[in-house]
């Protein structure tokens, strides 16, 4: 059974940094995409950054130049280095892993439980 385990959230001051980590356990394959989404109270869940297998990146305009996504395929992990944090980055951050399926395996999306990131002075 695939599970995503997140860590690294917490409280940071404006201009500070945090690094989120997400490790997928129980998977014998690499995911087609892994990345991060976030949801602030009263808002929808939005894509922050995703790295596709092969290295292509999808990064939200609001975090370009500040957040860096990376994957470790050997560990089946994805990371989000968040720099120059702003109060508007405050949200619950969710890790997502996408399996687009094979002839022998149905497609499936997996989500982590979420980790709170709060940016405040």
């Amino acid at each position: 059974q695939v599970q995503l385990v997140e860590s690294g959230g917490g409280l940071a001051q404006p201009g500070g940094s945090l690094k989120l980590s997400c490790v997928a356990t129980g998977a014998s394959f690499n995911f087609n995409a892994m990345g991060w989404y976030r949801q602030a109270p009263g808002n929808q869940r939005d894509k922050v950054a995703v790295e596709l297998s092969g290295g292509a990146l999808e990064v939200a305009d609001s975090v370009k130049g500040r957040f860096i996504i990376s994957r470790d395929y050997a560990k089946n992990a994805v990371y989000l280095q968040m720099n120059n944090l702003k109060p508007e980055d405050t949200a619950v951050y969710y890790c997502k892993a996408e399996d687009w399926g094979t002839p022998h395996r149905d497609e499936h999306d997996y989500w982590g439980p979420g980790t709170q990131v709060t940016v405040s002075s």
Side-chain angles (χ1 to χ4, degrees), residues 1-3 24-29:
Q1 183 178 358
V2 175
Q3 289 187 321
T25 62
S28 59
F29 54 89

Side-chain angles (χ1 to χ4, degrees), residues 6-92:
E6 300 153 340
S7 61
L11 175 65
Q13 292 188 339
S17 298
L18 286 173
K19 184 175 182 178
L20 305 182
S21 300
C22 173
V23 179
T25 62
S28 59
F29 54 89
N30 285 126
F31 295 95
N32 299 96
M34 291 189 78
W36 297 91
Y37 291 67
R38 68 185 181 186
Q39 187 169 19
N43 291 357
Q44 64 182 16
R45 189 174 297 186
D46 294 324
K47 182 186 297 183
V48 176
V50 172
E51 181 174 331
L52 307 179
S53 295
L57 302 179
E58 300 172 353
V59 182
D61 288 341
S62 59
V63 305
K64 280 182 180 176
R66 301 189 297 122
F67 291 10
I68 302 170
I69 186 172
S70 61
R71 289 179 66 175
D72 184 329
Y73 289 86
K75 296 181 179 179
N76 231 350
V78 63
Y79 307 96
L80 187 68
Q81 177 66 47
M82 304 185 292
N83 301 319
N84 191 20
L85 283 162
K86 303 176 180 180
E88 51 264 42
D89 295 319
T90 296
V92 178

